[in-house]
Amino acid sequence: MTPSEVETIIQRNGSAESSILAILQDIQAREKYLPKDTLEYVSQKMQIPLTRIYRIATFYNALSLIPTGRHKLDVCLGTACHVRGGTKIMEKLERDLKVKMGETTKDQRFTLKSVRCVGCCSLGPVMVVDDEVFGRVTQDKTSGLLKDFK
Ligand code: FES
């Protein structure tokens, strides 16, 4: 990400310290993670200590300091989804994608993570790809549901 692209993001969100989370979210959306040199640039430009930025970056689940896949793939392991087979869905995805929970596929297509309840328990087990929620997922359906996410 070039300095001028970072500048644009800062200008769009405002340079007040209270804008830092929105700025980090924009960088994350664009780069799929928060590159160290970009954070250093933001720190210098906004005069916010780098340690404070890192604290925010590591607090929020949606932010990542390591490269992530083009698509976020979250399997709900909250109580309702767990009872309805969420763990089996996670295991199937781990086998199919050849990654463990928390990892990114070699082709950078997906980062597989778990979440704890996305608020539609009656549809469990639930899987979320980017912002699209899939309910009543079965092991047989997972590959078909992922095929449109390139
Ligand atoms: S426990 Fe999965 S959506 Fe609530």
Side-chain angles (χ1 to χ4, degrees):
M1 184 171 238
T2 66
S4 74
E5 291 169 327
V6 180
E7 285 289 339
T8 303
I9 289 176
I10 292 172
Q11 281 172 12
R12 192 172 52 232
N13 288 286
S15 57
E17 190 170 333
S18 57
S19 303
I20 188 65
L21 179 58
I23 289 167
L24 296 180
Q25 287 171 323
D26 280 1
I27 295 168
Q28 173 78 39
R30 161 97 197 239
E31 298 293 304
K32 305 297 181 195
Y33 81 113
L34 301 172
K36 183 174 178 247
D37 57 343
T38 302
L39 295 186
E40 286 169 353
Y41 185 80
V42 169
S43 165
Q44 183 193 358
K45 271 297 188 195
M46 297 183 68
Q47 299 188 329
I48 300 174
L50 192 55
T51 51
R52 193 172 305 159
I53 293 177
Y54 271 106
R55 214 174 309 133
I56 294 166
T58 53
F59 181 79
Y60 291 96
N61 223 6
L63 302 174
S64 175
L65 296 172
I66 54 171
T68 57
R70 292 187 296 284
H71 303 287
K72 275 186 345 163
L73 171 53
D74 295 327
V75 177
C76 183
L77 297 180
T79 305
C81 287
H82 175 74
V83 167
R84 294 175 178 180
T87 305
K88 297 270 183 230
I89 300 302
M90 176 61 87
E91 289 167 357
K92 170 79 160 78
L93 289 167
E94 286 180 329
R95 280 195 306 276
D96 288 354
L97 300 174
K98 299 178 176 46
V99 291
K100 293 286 174 203
M101 185 170 40
E103 293 179 348
T104 298
T105 56
K106 277 201 170 72
D107 61 2
Q108 304 287 310
R109 192 170 161 219
F110 294 109
T111 297
L112 178 64
K113 288 188 173 179
S114 67
V115 287
R116 298 280 167 191
C117 193
V118 293
C120 45
C121 307
S122 62
L123 298 178
V126 168
M127 172 175 112
V128 185
V129 187
D130 298 330
D131 293 322
E132 195 169 344
V133 176
F134 297 96
R136 299 196 177 94
V137 176
T138 64
Q139 292 186 60
D140 292 340
K141 282 187 191 169
T142 54
S143 330
L145 294 174
L146 295 182
K147 74 175 173 11
D148 292 333
F149 297 90
K150 304 295 179 196

